[in-house]
Amino acid sequence: MLFLCDMQEKFRHVVYFRQIVSVAARMLKVARLLSVPTVLTEQYPQGLGPTVPELGAQGLQPYSKTCFSMVPAVQQELDARPQLRSVLLCGVETQACILQTALDLLDRGLQVHVVVDACTSRSQVDRLVALSRLRQSGAFLSTSEGLIFQLVGDATHPQFKEIQKLVKEPSPDSGLLGLFQDQNPLFR
């Protein structure tokens, strides 16, 4: 299942927002091609505005929330899928909603794949420490392209040609190289 977290108008000022929305939009296109169920949340939309149009989430009904975790807002969706084993997680902010959502999903026994090139924070220190904590807590840190190929699994997949078109262009730089350079001690 793909979780799209709080990519809303008032977060446009967040560092690398445009880039992570672009990557999340690519994940959404792949999810639609592969019939992967998707949920979208908006944190306090009355104050933070709607989901940005460039995500391409038209047709998805957003779940409004005030809790940082997405899980309470999408509880019915999760309960309706007892066979669900893993979640792909994209959005803002890594140290708040992404972290809390991942921890709640892990508590439910689900695998959590954090799409690192589709998650950011206002502070890159918060982003870095949150990614480290996510990893320490048992979430998998993965890139969008790695996860896309994991979802497809084989070049003979009927949707492979369409998906290949989506990954031909590399993801935009979302500042991750700077976080992982010089063998950052948080990721040893």
Side-chain angles (χ1 to χ4, degrees), residues 28 32 40 51-61:
L28 178 55
R32 285 178 167 157
L40 169 72
T51 298
V52 295
E54 59 268 34
L55 181 59
Q58 297 79 1
L60 284 178
Q61 181 60 45

Side-chain angles (χ1 to χ4, degrees), residues 97-116:
C97 298
I98 298 299
L99 178 63
Q100 302 257 338
T101 300
L103 294 175
D104 282 355
L105 292 168
L106 289 165
D107 282 348
R108 292 177 65 101
L110 294 169
Q111 285 185 5
V112 177
H113 300 269
V114 178
V115 187
V116 295

Side-chain angles (χ1 to χ4, degrees), residues 32 38-42 51 57-64 74 77:
R32 285 178 167 157
T38 303
V39 292
L40 169 72
T41 59
E42 293 176 343
T51 298
Q58 297 79 1
L60 284 178
Q61 181 60 45
Y63 290 87
S64 179
V74 301
E77 291 282 345

Side-chain angles (χ1 to χ4, degrees), residues 10-123:
K10 292 280 176 128
F11 288 119
R12 284 191 184 279
H13 69 281
V14 172
V15 180
Y16 300 111
F17 182 81
R18 181 181 53 78
Q19 292 90 336
I20 67 110
V21 168
S22 171
V23 174
R26 179 165 73 165
M27 293 301 297
L28 178 55
K29 287 176 188 170
V30 168
R32 285 178 167 157
L33 282 170
L34 299 177
S35 301
V36 172
T38 303
V39 292
L40 169 72
T41 59
E42 293 176 343
Q43 180 74 22
Y44 185 64
Q46 302 89 326
L48 298 174
T51 298
V52 295
E54 59 268 34
L55 181 59
Q58 297 79 1
L60 284 178
Q61 181 60 45
Y63 290 87
S64 179
K65 67 183 185 67
T66 56
C67 179
F68 295 122
S69 174
M70 294 174 72
V71 171
V74 301
Q75 186 71 50
Q76 286 184 329
E77 291 282 345
L78 290 169
D79 291 345
R81 292 176 172 80
Q83 77 288 359
L84 182 66
R85 297 289 172 254
S86 63
V87 169
L88 311 173
L89 185 53
C90 304
V92 296
E93 286 193 64
T94 313
Q95 81 285 0
C97 298
I98 298 299
L99 178 63
Q100 302 257 338
T101 300
L103 294 175
D104 282 355
L105 292 168
L106 289 165
D107 282 348
R108 292 177 65 101
L110 294 169
Q111 285 185 5
V112 177
H113 300 269
V114 178
V115 187
V116 295
D117 50 341
C119 294
T120 194
S121 300
R122 287 172 292 131
S123 158

